[in-house]
Amino acid sequence: MRYFLSSTLLLISLITLGQSVGIIRGLVSDEGGEPIPGVNIILKSDNRIGTITDINGAFEIGLPVGSDVLIFSHVQYATREVQVNVQTEEVQNLSVRLNPKNTQLDEVEVIGQQERDPIDPATKIDATSARNLPSASGDFSKVLVTLPGVAANNELSSAYNVRGGNFDENLVYVNDIPVYRPFLANAGRQEGLSFVNTDLVKDISFYAGGWESKYGDKLSSSLNILYKEPEDYHGSINFGLLGGSAYVGNRVSDRFKYLLGARHSDTRYLLGTLETKGQYLPSYTDAQAFLTFDLSQKGQQVNRTKLNWLLAYGRNRYLTLPESQTTEFGSVSQTLRVQTAFEGRELLNYDTYQTGFNLSHKWSNRFLSRLIASGVQTSEKEFYNVEGAYRICDVDNNPGSNSFNDCVVTRGIGTNFNYGRNNLDATVLNFELRNELLINDWVLLEAGAGFNHNKMEDELNEYAYLDSAGFIINPFDPSTNVLRSVFNELDLTTQTYTGYLQSTIFSRDSAHAVNIGARINYLDYTQETLVSPRLIYRHKPDWERETSFRISIGKYSQTPFYRELRDLDGNIRDDVKAQQSTHFILGIERLFEWWGRPFLLTSEGYYKRMTNIIPYDIDNVRLRYFAENNAEAFAYGLDLRLNGEFIRGSQSWFSLGILKTSEDIEEDDKDYIRRPSDQRINLAFFFEDHMPNDPSVRVYVNSIFGSGYPLGPPNEINARNIFSGDEFFRVDIGFSKSLELKKNKYLKVLWLRAEILNALGADNTLSYSWIQDISGSQLAIPNSLSARFLNFRVAADF
């Protein structure tokens, strides 16, 4: 504001004195093409003439005619001088890019801790860390599990739950375009990769709760991804034992940029370490394109009209021919063994097409509009036909016995048969208009409206049969020994209308900031109108060590999708209403120096009150809803994260999440019981190191510990979630060596990488199968995850 007033007065004086003045209009952005607000711009020959870029990185300045130099400066970017030649009464366009002050390693610190909206409650993660993190699937979502409050006890799945929620309660956006997970997959090994391609990611913003009104409506979290907008030709290709990927990007001209990526995943070698032996033939392939167009007319400001277009295709083909499984469980004094022989197969195929565009137009330096439209079409088929014959026995665990480690007492023998022929065709369309109006330097007003159209055609045909010699185990129908039988079809079309209004207000000293707004939803299927007010307040006192306090209070609603409408028997319920949650969050961030290096400590305490809750049970990664709003719930906890350079030049962080979540169901005889996602303790860290004298040799450690989820026997509501499952503990280690290819014309860097997955060989349990022995005792048989595996990868940057 100071520069604006002084510049205006000076220009008036110049014009009064008869000196000619020209106009320069432009945009200041970073290396990735993202606008930089708050850049100081002054004329080198007369520092009384200057201005500051607005929230969109745009500026306009009047200068005396002739050659001169403009100085662009920002606290987080290297100062740059640009030569200009001002012509009389001519508007000139100028595009300026600033480089970060720090090296690439230090840039992680800037992105993760400092370069953030003054009131934005999101957790920022550098995309480089997401690419380097060792994991079984190499999936992007695994970096989220290292954050406090985020849990996922399945290395084969991209699903995650946040602060006591479930897998369906998370929003995911790519450049403000919503994306979706597969619908039918009931096991993590069937899923393939998540939508987000790590190679294409530029910026990651994750909200574990308390997000603004302009973002959508789910109960737990919002993940916002920005893809790159390349400035030059570059790319990479990598391959390993579990698949590979490749991408290329380029700036063809000032008006067109492209980013292309493809991935292939084949985890058959990893699945070979599971307890269930057989033939695994998983294959997932996808291709994505992200195109950027500058549609501004000649002579207009750069990127005044801008189009981002996202296209994607995902193809999954999963086939398993199970043969046998041997599982041992129990205690030191008593060990049980279940041996099963299988016949049959499991098949999951899906083809998913997604596209969307984000069209933005700057009507002026203060008014911006965005039109966002997207569509998803998926066709999924799940066929399985598996019969198993099993035997349960007691194992002799006396090392001095002649029958040591042999079955000595048979508790029961039996068979089980699972059959399914499920088909799903879904079409999801989204349209949204967003508007931003910068009223003055201290007030930003935002408003928007949206429309969502869902069409689901679902054919469900499945049943399970379980019998044992002379007795029936867990009978759903004692006369037929059928535990669960579902035969129905669903043809559902729903429309949702949304709108929001919010305002962000800053104090003149920037010590205080508040975001207040509300979101409204109307779903025609339930004929509900939902209003969700939200408030975020941030205070940043003038202390020697940078500290900020934040309070977030908001209401969040989740309208039922087709999963919530289908009950445990597969029937469709038409009286299901939206679930609602109120978030109360208190957060503190403190930036300090330790060992002469910067660190950021983030802590958040939260309480969530949930009403109209639809209870559910978890079957691997499939959620089975009760399809009734017959429960209320709560969740509270504490999330802590320490981020910084524990090793100079390397970025690492440690996270701790403490949680308690419970629900009260009307039909049972209990008060509040643990929810299926009640993981009391979650500890995770990502640690990066390098050789002191050779930074090209690096090591990455990804470690996760989670306490056990609750469990209970099926079809017994009063015994639901009364036990606690086993803890989850996993360590993945990666080693890499980079080789600069200075003499190679086409390749820049060659990467050699080795990964030890599940390095400590932890025997983690994914779920439990319940059976009953001859005496009528219920036995919970653990289903284990993958064992230790050595993976090799080779990558080349060009």
Side-chain angles (χ1 to χ4, degrees):
M1 182 65 73
R2 181 180 70 253
Y3 280 124
F4 175 77
L5 292 175
S6 61
S7 299
T8 303
L9 292 174
L10 183 61
L11 288 173
I12 292 175
S13 300
L14 293 172
I15 295 173
T16 303
L17 294 174
Q19 186 167 348
S20 299
V21 176
I23 301 297
I24 290 185
R25 183 184 296 156
L27 178 71
V28 181
S29 57
D30 62 14
E31 291 177 315
E34 290 300 311
I36 307 176
V39 177
N40 292 318
I41 307 170
I42 61 173
L43 189 64
K44 188 172 185 178
S45 62
D46 190 341
N47 59 16
R48 295 174 298 170
I49 299 178
T51 186
I52 299 176
T53 58
D54 62 17
I55 194 171
N56 299 310
F59 70 92
E60 183 175 315
I61 185 171
L63 301 175
V65 171
S67 297
D68 213 319
V69 175
L70 284 176
I71 301 175
F72 296 79
S73 62
H74 190 279
V75 66
Q76 295 170 4
Y77 296 87
T79 299
R80 181 178 176 183
E81 296 186 359
V82 178
Q83 184 77 32
V84 293
N85 186 17
V86 181
Q87 304 296 326
T88 306
E89 298 179 356
E90 180 179 326
V91 177
Q92 296 178 249
N93 290 316
L94 183 64
S95 179
V96 178
R97 300 196 179 276
L98 301 183
N99 297 319
K101 285 184 177 179
N102 305 85
T103 63
Q104 184 177 0
L105 291 174
D106 294 331
E107 184 183 353
V108 177
E109 182 68 31
V110 172
I111 293 177
Q113 299 178 4
Q114 299 172 14
E115 188 187 20
R116 56 193 305 158
D117 188 287
I119 198 171
D120 188 4
T123 298
K124 299 279 189 175
I125 307 172
D126 179 43
T128 303
S129 298
R131 286 190 288 271
N132 290 333
L133 184 129
S135 66
S137 61
D139 191 82
F140 166 83
S141 64
K142 297 309 172 186
V143 74
L144 300 178
V145 185
T146 65
L147 301 180
V150 184
N153 288 9
N154 187 347
E155 70 270 13
L156 303 175
S157 171
S158 61
Y160 58 91
N161 48 278
V162 180
R163 291 180 176 175
N166 67 40
F167 315 139
D168 285 344
E169 297 177 0
N170 307 309
L171 292 163
V172 181
Y173 296 96
V174 174
N175 289 75
D176 293 326
I177 299 169
V179 296
Y180 299 87
R181 296 177 60 233
F183 295 101
L184 281 186
N186 60 31
R189 62 180 184 270
Q190 300 175 347
E191 285 186 18
L193 300 174
S194 67
F195 179 89
V196 179
N197 186 333
T198 309
D199 290 337
L200 311 185
V201 173
K202 174 189 178 254
D203 184 69
I204 307 166
S205 299
F206 180 72
Y207 301 81
W211 59 90
E212 303 172 13
S213 300
K214 66 180 178 181
Y215 297 121
D217 296 278
K218 292 277 190 175
L219 295 184
S220 293
S221 74
S222 178
L223 173 64
N224 300 342
I225 303 295
L226 286 181
Y227 274 4
K228 303 173 187 175
E229 295 182 12
E231 291 302 312
D232 53 20
Y233 178 76
H234 69 281
S236 177
I237 182 171
N238 82 83
F239 57 91
L241 295 180
L242 301 179
S245 66
Y247 87 95
V248 62
N250 192 17
R251 179 179 181 176
V252 178
S253 67
D254 291 339
R255 293 184 173 273
F256 176 61
K257 307 172 187 178
Y258 68 84
L259 191 64
L260 307 176
R263 299 178 294 173
H264 178 74
S265 174
D266 187 337
T267 57
R268 70 182 67 188
Y269 299 120
L270 181 65
L271 297 179
T273 68
L274 297 176
E275 286 184 342
T276 301
K277 303 304 178 182
Q279 297 183 48
Y280 291 93
L281 302 172
S283 177
Y284 175 85
T285 305
D286 80 350
Q288 298 184 20
F290 185 68
L291 311 177
T292 302
F293 302 87
D294 183 357
L295 304 180
S296 307
Q297 296 181 5
K298 188 176 181 180
Q300 290 184 337
Q301 180 183 0
V302 176
N303 283 331
R304 181 178 182 182
T305 303
K306 177 180 173 182
L307 175 66
N308 289 134
W309 186 12
L310 176 66
L311 302 102
Y313 167 69
R315 179 183 185 273
N316 188 40
R317 297 294 183 267
Y318 174 86
L319 174 63
T320 295
L321 303 174
E323 296 174 356
S324 64
Q325 178 178 342
T326 300
T327 304
E328 292 189 0
F329 62 102
S331 61
V332 176
S333 60
Q334 183 182 36
T335 302
L336 300 178
R337 179 181 295 160
V338 177
Q339 295 173 305
T340 308
F342 296 102
E343 184 176 351
R345 68 174 188 168
E346 298 178 8
L347 174 70
L348 175 69
N349 294 344
Y350 69 73
D351 293 273
T352 301
Y353 304 84
Q354 301 194 50
T355 186
F357 68 81
N358 186 333
L359 176 65
S360 64
H361 180 72
K362 299 173 184 176
W363 302 95
S364 69
N365 286 339
R366 293 183 176 273
F367 185 34
L368 171 69
S369 294
R370 298 181 188 273
L371 176 62
I372 303 167
S374 65
V376 178
Q377 202 285 322
T378 183
S379 178
E380 304 182 17
K381 300 180 185 299
E382 179 190 34
F383 296 166
Y384 56 88
N385 185 1
V386 179
E387 181 178 7
Y390 64 88
R391 180 179 72 156
I392 312 170
C393 67
D394 287 273
V395 178
D396 185 355
N397 55 9
N398 181 7
S401 173
N402 292 331
S403 59
F404 174 66
N405 204 35
D406 292 336
C407 285
V408 292
V409 177
T410 299
R411 289 192 170 217
I413 58 175
T415 61
N416 59 65
F417 182 74
N418 290 281
Y419 174 91
R421 293 292 184 271
N422 303 325
N423 295 276
L424 172 70
D425 290 296
T427 302
V428 180
L429 303 176
N430 290 283
F431 301 91
E432 186 176 16
L433 177 65
R434 295 183 182 180
N435 299 283
E436 301 176 10
L437 176 61
L438 186 64
I439 296 178
N440 54 47
D441 289 347
W442 319 110
V443 180
L444 174 66
L445 182 66
E446 299 175 76
F451 170 74
N452 169 261
H453 171 86
N454 297 327
K455 182 173 178 56
M456 316 293 296
E457 296 180 2
D458 186 22
E459 297 178 5
L460 192 62
N461 180 1
E462 59 185 31
Y463 65 87
Y465 175 94
L466 190 63
D467 194 12
S468 183
F471 62 89
I472 300 168
I473 302 173
N474 288 338
F476 180 82
D477 182 350
S479 64
T480 61
N481 298 359
V482 175
L483 294 176
R484 178 172 49 84
S485 177
V486 179
F487 302 92
N488 63 37
E489 296 182 359
L490 167 68
D491 190 349
L492 176 68
T493 301
T494 64
Q495 327 275 353
T496 304
Y497 304 87
T498 63
Y500 73 90
L501 176 66
Q502 68 177 46
S503 179
T504 305
I505 304 171
F506 299 91
S507 64
R508 292 187 177 268
D509 60 359
S510 295
H512 303 271
V514 62
N515 176 280
I516 186 171
R519 189 172 183 87
I520 187 170
N521 282 346
Y522 176 77
L523 176 62
D524 64 351
Y525 184 81
T526 61
Q527 297 185 347
E528 284 183 285
T529 300
L530 306 169
V531 179
S532 304
R534 301 172 190 178
L535 170 71
I536 304 173
Y537 168 74
R538 191 269 296 149
H539 175 53
K540 194 172 185 179
D542 186 17
W543 292 355
E544 181 179 352
R545 294 182 176 178
E546 185 176 325
T547 305
S548 64
F549 301 86
R550 187 178 65 255
I551 298 174
S552 300
I553 302 174
K555 191 173 183 180
Y556 299 84
S557 303
Q558 182 164 328
T559 53
F561 205 38
Y562 96 103
R563 279 199 188 99
E564 293 95 319
L565 301 175
R566 195 187 289 278
D567 64 17
L568 297 176
D569 297 328
N571 300 315
I572 304 301
R573 305 288 294 269
D574 58 4
D575 56 349
V576 180
K577 302 296 183 181
Q579 303 177 85
Q580 300 185 42
S581 177
T582 304
H583 296 191
F584 302 90
I585 302 172
L586 173 62
I588 303 174
E589 289 186 351
R590 188 170 181 84
L591 186 64
F592 61 95
E593 283 197 359
W594 199 6
W595 304 317
R597 299 189 289 274
F599 285 81
L600 177 69
L601 176 63
T602 305
S603 59
E604 283 193 349
Y606 59 89
Y607 175 80
K608 298 197 293 186
R609 185 66 183 175
M610 292 164 275
T611 57
N612 276 357
I613 291 300
I614 306 172
Y616 62 91
D617 289 324
I618 301 178
D619 180 9
N620 202 313
V621 297
R622 174 178 288 184
L623 301 176
R624 298 193 178 277
Y625 288 94
F626 289 23
E628 292 184 80
N629 300 96
N630 61 346
E632 59 181 27
F634 67 83
Y636 61 83
L638 177 67
D639 288 344
L640 302 171
R641 182 172 185 248
L642 179 63
N643 182 26
E645 293 185 17
F646 290 88
I647 303 297
R648 185 178 297 277
S650 300
Q651 192 69 198
S652 306
W653 61 81
F654 291 78
S655 302
L656 172 64
I658 302 173
L659 164 73
K660 177 179 174 62
T661 180
S662 300
E663 63 186 6
D664 182 16
I665 303 177
E666 295 175 358
E667 281 76 8
D668 64 13
D669 298 330
K670 298 177 176 292
D671 194 11
Y672 281 91
I673 64 171
R674 297 177 66 185
R675 302 193 79 197
S677 56
D678 184 32
Q679 188 176 63
R680 298 294 174 85
I681 298 176
N682 184 276
L683 176 65
F685 68 84
F686 171 68
F687 191 80
E688 180 181 348
D689 197 0
H690 59 81
M691 295 290 289
N693 299 321
D694 187 3
S696 67
V697 179
R698 294 187 169 272
V699 60
Y700 310 92
V701 182
N702 172 29
S703 179
I704 301 171
F705 169 81
S707 58
Y709 286 111
L711 71 148
N715 304 323
E716 296 186 21
I717 191 169
N718 289 317
R720 185 169 172 266
N721 296 338
I722 60 174
F723 303 112
S724 183
D726 295 333
E727 295 84 4
F728 178 90
F729 178 61
R730 184 179 179 90
V731 177
D732 297 322
I733 304 176
F735 303 90
S736 70
K737 167 66 176 178
S738 62
L739 304 170
E740 291 191 19
L741 307 177
K742 297 181 179 180
K743 297 182 179 181
N744 192 289
K745 183 178 179 181
Y746 302 102
L747 301 180
K748 297 179 180 178
V749 181
L750 180 68
W751 295 84
L752 305 176
R753 181 162 176 144
E755 297 176 335
I756 306 175
L757 307 176
N758 194 6
L760 301 183
D763 185 15
N764 292 310
T765 299
L766 170 63
S767 60
Y768 295 85
S769 300
W770 289 84
I771 63 174
Q772 182 177 309
D773 66 9
I774 193 76
S775 65
S777 300
Q778 293 268 21
L779 301 177
I781 302 175
N783 300 309
S784 297
L785 289 163
S786 61
R788 184 186 294 113
F789 183 79
L790 180 61
N791 183 35
F792 293 98
R793 290 167 53 191
V794 178
D797 298 338
F798 55 86

